Amino acid sequence: MADPLLKVSGLNAWYGESHILHGVDFEVGKGELVTLLGRNGAGKTTTLKAIMGIVGKRTGQIRFEGQELAGSTSDIIARAGIAYCPEERGIFSSLNVEENLMLPPVVKPGGVTVEEIYTLFPNLLERRRSQGTKLSGGEQQMLAIGRILRTGASMLLLDEPTEGLAPVIVQRIGEVIRQLKTRGFTVLLVEQNFRFAATIADRHYIVEDGRVVDMVVAADVERSIDKLHDYLGV
Amino acid sequence: MFELIGIPPQALFGQLLLGLINGAFYAMLSLGLAVIFGLLNVINFTHGAQYMMGAFAAWLLLTVLGIPFWAALVLAPIIVGFTGVLIERLLLRRIYHLDHLYGFLLTFGLALIIEGVFRWKWGSSGQPYDNPIPGGVNLGFMFLPYYRGWVVIASLVICLATWYAIERTRLGAYLRAATENPTLVRAFGINVPRMITLTYAFGVGLAALAGVLAAPIQQVSALMGTNLVLVVFAVVVIGGMGSIMGSILTGFGLGLIEGLTKVAYPPASNIVIFVVMALVLLVKPAGLFGRTK
């Protein structure tokens, strides 16, 4: 890859005394959709949190658009153009749907407009005055993804967006992620659902024990299926 | 002249007005406390001292620099609010990760130090502050001093403006969201530490503003906030810790209850608010407008 948009090198992260990431290395090219796959507790979510600067302590390098972000706080990282959608969705109960949607500030021009977000997720328009946490799990996930699209961030970190959702919602979210890729967004996706990830990603990094241990490109998934099953324990 | 339940209307409405004025101060002070507790999770026991600092700032601006009341109304909250910035940056920031008790002890200690310094410098006796709107109007059933009427209206406007800013604006949405999950709000690109500093300064500024408003009514003294802060804490607990509208409604409501008690049974007027607090805690531990977590 000539000039990756995001390049993570030797990333270590700790929660208190617990050393979780032990030198994670990977890169994501502009416009790519890359997944981090791995078993529970492998360090996938911590990798996203470490990129965003919301772990206790981290060392290593995180270069985004050529800018070093490993020493930056999370608000500066967000303003550099990386948007984060957490696993637990992070919908605010004291805010209604529209307030949740409008909460993240616009950090760069070129974000998706509110009208476009409502077109992508019509349920949100119907329920825009409802309390955010009163939505169904699927609607909350749509809201969590929708609100980071407004910001103009070019890179999206999505942590398990399909977790606990009905198949029809998973399918809808897959369609939306594909649309985002065609719009030029770069996506780093953490997933447990390999079947889902395999249908949308360009490349897959395998995370084990806080390290990236392998990489499989989409074209090689069929050939590498046994190896992937071994890694993922499926 | 007619009587209501055996009470002369002059006495009744006079006490109700006093209750409303006290309620105005309770509401403004408890509002500041609620805003600070909501975002910082700190029980700011320095609030009474900061109210006193507002009154003293106005008095010093007038006596030393000749700056009149109306300018002090703007300047004093800014000056005292700036001391809030220093307190948050230098002290409170270090204890957010600790139990509530540490914040309580720190702010309690600060209140003692601040009040001690003011008492050492200016003594315990009150300093007079001229009424900026002398005179009043006879409403038939009671005499309404202009300044007191103005205090009630001004505090209502300030309280409702604060409620609007927190509940209906983008900035307020940031505040409410940061109260729930500051880490995620920061990961959206919002400078949460700076927002916390400014929120504390705003809460402190509100206390100082109440102090400036109180200066012409009460004597400006080092201990003017000491007793008041206990009542204000009771108001916040009754309204629900962190509830903005709860603080406003409970502040004015309890001021009126206190005023009515002064008419009906004066010896109980000093404790009626604490009796209400005990009853509310028995029935609704999170307060009248508070949400259980």
Side-chain angles (χ1 to χ4, degrees), chain B residues 10-81:
Chain B
Q10 289 282 3
L12 178 66
F13 289 111
Q15 287 302 334
L16 279 179
L17 175 65
L18 274 179
L20 205 56
I21 289 164
N22 283 340
F25 290 118
Y26 298 161
M28 284 182 67
L29 287 167
S30 59
L31 183 60
L33 274 181
V35 170
I36 290 170
F37 180 79
L39 188 60
L40 281 74
N41 250 343
V42 165
I43 301 165
N44 184 38
F45 216 86
T46 317
H47 221 63
Q50 285 154 338
Y51 161 81
M52 174 271 290
M53 286 168 76
F56 257 101
W59 178 74
L60 287 168
L61 284 169
L62 181 69
T63 53
V64 177
L65 300 174
I67 293 172
F69 173 82
W70 301 105
L73 206 55
V74 177
L75 289 175
I78 293 173
I79 295 165
V80 181

Side-chain angles (χ1 to χ4, degrees), chain A residues 33-78:
Chain A
L33 201 163
V34 170
T35 65
L36 297 179
L37 300 175
R39 299 180 194 221
N40 264 338
K44 309 182 296 294
T45 291
T46 305
T47 303
L48 295 195
K49 287 186 172 177
I51 293 170
M52 286 311 298
I54 51 178
V55 287
K57 182 189 164 193
R58 71 189 156 157
T59 60
Q61 290 186 317
I62 302 163
R63 291 192 78 78
F64 177 71
E65 292 181 328
Q67 182 186 354
E68 180 54 52
L69 295 176
S72 302
T73 52
S74 55
D75 52 321
I76 291 171
I77 293 167

Side-chain angles (χ1 to χ4, degrees), chain A residues 52 54 73-75 78-79 84 86 90 92-95 99 102-105 147-148, chain B residues 167-168 170 173-174 176-178 180-181 183-192 291:
Chain A
M52 286 311 298
I54 51 178
T73 52
S74 55
D75 52 321
R79 289 191 174 274
Y84 171 58
F92 298 97
S93 63
S94 58
L95 273 54
E99 286 174 325
M102 302 301 284
L103 187 73
R147 73 180 167 192
I148 60 171
Chain B
E167 298 292 336
R168 294 285 183 271
R170 175 73 66 90
Y174 290 159
R176 283 179 283 142
E180 283 185 54
N181 189 344
T183 307
L184 184 58
V185 171
R186 195 170 189 194
F188 284 157
I190 296 160
N191 189 335
V192 174
R291 276 191 248 169

Side-chain angles (χ1 to χ4, degrees), chain B:
Chain B
M1 195 71 181
F2 67 94
E3 288 194 355
L4 293 169
I5 48 172
I7 302 164
Q10 289 282 3
L12 178 66
F13 289 111
Q15 287 302 334
L16 279 179
L17 175 65
L18 274 179
L20 205 56
I21 289 164
N22 283 340
F25 290 118
Y26 298 161
M28 284 182 67
L29 287 167
S30 59
L31 183 60
L33 274 181
V35 170
I36 290 170
F37 180 79
L39 188 60
L40 281 74
N41 250 343
V42 165
I43 301 165
N44 184 38
F45 216 86
T46 317
H47 221 63
Q50 285 154 338
Y51 161 81
M52 174 271 290
M53 286 168 76
F56 257 101
W59 178 74
L60 287 168
L61 284 169
L62 181 69
T63 53
V64 177
L65 300 174
I67 293 172
F69 173 82
W70 301 105
L73 206 55
V74 177
L75 289 175
I78 293 173
I79 295 165
V80 181
F82 182 72
T83 67
V85 170
L86 296 179
I87 289 172
E88 197 282 331
R89 287 270 160 123
L90 300 176
L91 301 170
L92 292 177
R93 187 164 284 193
R94 298 167 193 273
I95 52 131
Y96 290 143
H97 61 288
L98 301 174
D99 188 81
H100 287 313
L101 188 61
Y102 290 87
F104 175 77
L105 287 173
L106 174 63
T107 55
F108 182 60
L110 268 176
L112 292 179
I113 293 168
I114 293 168
E115 284 168 356
V117 167
F118 275 76
R119 195 164 45 177
W120 164 73
K121 182 73 183 158
W122 286 287
S124 297
S125 57
Q127 313 288 344
Y129 192 99
D130 283 346
N131 183 348
I133 323 175
V137 58
N138 192 344
L139 300 174
F141 55 89
M142 63 176 285
F143 180 77
L144 175 66
Y146 290 132
Y147 183 76
R148 292 179 183 235
W150 186 82
V151 165
V152 172
I153 292 166
S155 65
L156 253 179
V157 170
I158 292 160
C159 287
L160 292 177
T162 305
W163 172 84
Y164 184 85
I166 291 173
E167 298 292 336
R168 294 285 183 271
T169 66
R170 175 73 66 90
L171 180 66
Y174 290 159
L175 273 174
R176 283 179 283 142
T179 302
E180 283 185 54
N181 189 344
T183 307
L184 184 58
V185 171
R186 195 170 189 194
F188 284 157
I190 296 160
N191 189 335
V192 174
R194 187 166 62 194
M195 194 164 75
I196 289 174
T197 304
L198 293 177
T199 301
Y200 186 74
F202 175 75
V204 170
L206 264 183
L209 184 58
V212 181
L213 288 172
I217 294 177
Q218 302 177 21
Q219 299 269 303
V220 177
S221 86
L223 301 177
M224 65 190 283
T226 311
N227 295 328
L228 190 61
V229 78
L230 290 176
V231 178
V232 170
F233 270 105
V235 172
V236 172
V237 171
I238 294 167
M241 290 297 279
S243 165
I244 304 301
M245 191 47 93
S247 294
I248 299 170
L249 294 177
T250 314
F252 279 101
L254 287 175
L256 287 173
I257 289 173
E258 197 181 39
L260 280 173
T261 313
K262 273 183 187 154
V263 182
Y265 187 60
S269 63
N270 285 336
I271 58 160
V272 65
I273 286 178
F274 300 100
V275 172
V276 173
M277 182 178 81
L279 291 174
V280 168
L281 285 178
L282 281 173
V283 182
K284 287 195 77 174
L288 293 176
F289 299 87
R291 276 191 248 169
T292 41
K293 287 191 177 175

Side-chain angles (χ1 to χ4, degrees), chain A residues 40 45 48-49 84-90 141 158-161 163 190 192:
Chain A
N40 264 338
T45 291
L48 295 195
K49 287 186 172 177
Y84 171 58
C85 177
E87 185 179 6
E88 70 281 3
R89 294 165 191 143
Q141 189 60 66
L158 307 180
D159 195 354
E160 305 224 21
E163 192 189 19
V190 160
Q192 290 262 10

